[in-house]
Amino acid sequence: MENGRNVADGVRVVARALVYAVVGGVALLAIGTVGSVLGPMVVLDLATPAMAAWWTVFTAVAVQGIPFLLLGTVVSAAIGAFVPERVFRRVLPKNPALAVPVAGAAGAVLPGCECASVPVADSLMRRGVAPAAALAFLLSAPAINPVVLVATSIAFPGNPAMVGARLVASLATAVAMGWLWVRFGKEEWLPSVRHGGGGAFGTGGWRGFRDGLQHDFLHAGGFLVLGAAAAATFNILVPRSLLDVFTGSPWLSVLLLAVLAVVLCVCSEADAFVAASLTGFSPTARLAFMVVGPMVDLKLIALQAGTFGRAFAVRFSSVTWVVAVVSSVLVGGWLL
C-alpha cells in the first residue's frame, strides 16, 4: 500500500514538473514569436532600423533554440535522477586507455548539459571510474548527444556534413583529452578521490527529476537568452570592415569564433542556431564555435575550478581549447 502511494506521489511530482516545463517553454515560444513579429515594428517607430534588425536576430536565435533546450534538460534531469553511477562502472573497461573511447562514445547515447557534466564526472571519479574516462565523458556528453545533433541538423538544413563534422570533431577532442590525461595527468591536479557518500546527481527519484529539470531549464535558459543577445549584438554592432579582416583569413576567423564560444557561454542544445546566424564566417570557423563551446566556456571553467580545483581547471581548459581548435580545423578541412 505504501509503495503504491509513493509511486502515485512520484507520478504526480514528475507530471507537475513536466507541465511546468512545457507550459514555460510554450509561453516563451509564444512570447518570442509575437515579439519577433511586433518587435521590429515597435523598434522602428522608437529608434532605428539597426535596432529592429537586432531584435529580429535575437528572437530568431532564441525561439529556435528553446524547444531543444527544453528537450535536453528533460533528458538530462531524467539521467541524473534515475541512472545510478554503477551503470557507468559496469560498462567501462578497467584499462583507462580502453575506457576513454568507450566513455567518449557513451556521450552519444547519454545526453547531458554542460552544467550537469562536471558534477557527473566528479561523482564517477569518486566511485572508482578512471579520471581519464570520466573526463572524456564530461567533454563528449554535452557535445555529441542526440539532442545536440538534431538541433544542429535543424540549424543547418540540407547540410548533413556539418552534423557529421561536429560529431567527429567533438568525439575526437574528448578522446584525445582522455588519452592525454592517461599519459600526462597527475593526481595532485585533482582533489583526493573520496569513495562513498552522496553522488553529484543530487536527490534521486521523481523529486530529484523535478528539481533537476527546473534548475537546468531556468539556468540554461538564461544563458540561451544571453547568447542570443550577444549574437544579435555581434551581428549588428561589429563593423563589416572589421569582420572582413577575420573572415578573409581562415585561421583568424577560426580563432575569433573559438574565443567567442568561450565568452558567450551558449548552451550546447542551442549553440548551433547561434553559429548558423554567423553567416559571414567560414563553415570551419562555425564548426570550431560549436566544438569549443560545449567543452570550454566561462561557466564551465568556473564549475571545474569549484569542483576540481583551480590548478586542474586552468590546465584542462587551456589544453582542451587548443585540441578542440585543431580538431575542428582538421575535420572541417576534411568534411566541409
Side-chain angles (χ1 to χ4, degrees):
M1 187 69 178
E2 183 66 24
N3 289 337
R5 187 179 298 110
N6 290 337
V7 171
D9 291 341
V11 171
R12 283 194 292 269
V13 168
V14 72
R16 190 179 301 116
L18 285 172
V19 169
Y20 289 160
V22 171
V23 170
V26 172
L28 288 174
L29 279 172
I31 293 172
T33 302
V34 174
S36 65
V37 176
L38 299 180
M41 298 171 59
V42 175
V43 171
L44 277 172
D45 291 337
L46 298 178
T48 66
M51 293 184 65
W54 183 95
W55 183 266
T56 300
V57 175
F58 168 76
T59 53
V61 174
V63 169
Q64 289 183 89
I66 286 172
F68 296 97
L69 177 62
L70 175 60
L71 178 59
T73 52
V74 168
V75 176
S76 177
I79 291 173
F82 302 118
V83 179
E85 295 91 332
R86 62 178 179 272
V87 172
F88 294 92
R89 297 201 307 271
R90 290 176 179 175
V91 301
L92 292 176
K94 293 184 178 180
N95 186 323
L98 298 178
V100 165
V102 176
V109 294
L110 294 174
C113 69
E114 301 98 306
C115 300
S117 64
V118 174
V120 168
D122 178 46
S123 178
L124 294 176
M125 292 182 199
R126 290 189 286 109
R127 283 160 173 75
V129 173
L135 295 175
F137 181 80
L138 180 154
L139 296 176
S140 68
I144 65 171
N145 69 68
V147 176
V148 168
L149 296 181
V150 170
T152 305
S153 69
I154 299 298
F156 293 89
N159 190 3
M162 182 63 79
V163 181
R166 181 173 194 176
L167 171 63
V168 173
S170 298
L171 181 59
T173 301
V175 173
M177 287 302 300
W179 281 338
L180 285 173
W181 184 268
V182 172
R183 178 64 180 85
F184 301 105
K186 298 180 180 179
E187 292 185 2
E188 56 265 30
W189 292 347
L190 288 169
S192 58
V193 178
R194 305 180 303 279
H195 295 280
F201 286 81
T203 305
W206 298 109
R207 295 190 183 279
F209 174 83
R210 179 197 62 186
D211 295 340
L213 177 60
Q214 291 175 346
H215 172 272
D216 288 349
F217 183 73
L218 293 175
H219 185 74
F223 284 110
L224 171 60
V225 171
L226 291 176
T233 302
F234 180 83
N235 274 275
I236 301 304
L237 294 185
V238 176
R240 179 56 56 182
S241 59
L242 179 60
L243 285 181
D244 290 340
V245 174
F246 293 94
T247 56
S249 169
W251 291 104
L252 289 178
S253 63
V254 168
L255 294 177
L256 175 62
L257 290 196
V259 171
L260 282 178
V262 177
V263 176
L264 295 185
C265 301
V266 184
C267 179
S268 62
E269 281 93 2
D271 63 356
F273 299 102
V274 178
S277 71
L278 302 173
T279 54
F281 291 88
S282 68
T284 299
R286 289 188 279 177
L287 173 64
F289 180 87
M290 294 186 291
V291 173
V292 171
M295 299 184 178
V296 187
D297 64 26
L298 294 180
K299 70 177 184 296
L300 279 175
I301 295 172
L303 285 170
Q304 291 173 7
T307 304
F308 302 120
R310 185 179 302 175
F312 169 85
V314 171
R315 292 182 176 90
F316 188 73
S317 298
S318 301
V319 178
T320 300
W321 188 88
V322 174
V323 173
V325 171
V326 172
S327 178
S328 300
V329 171
L330 294 177
V331 174
W334 171 38
L335 294 178
L336 302 178

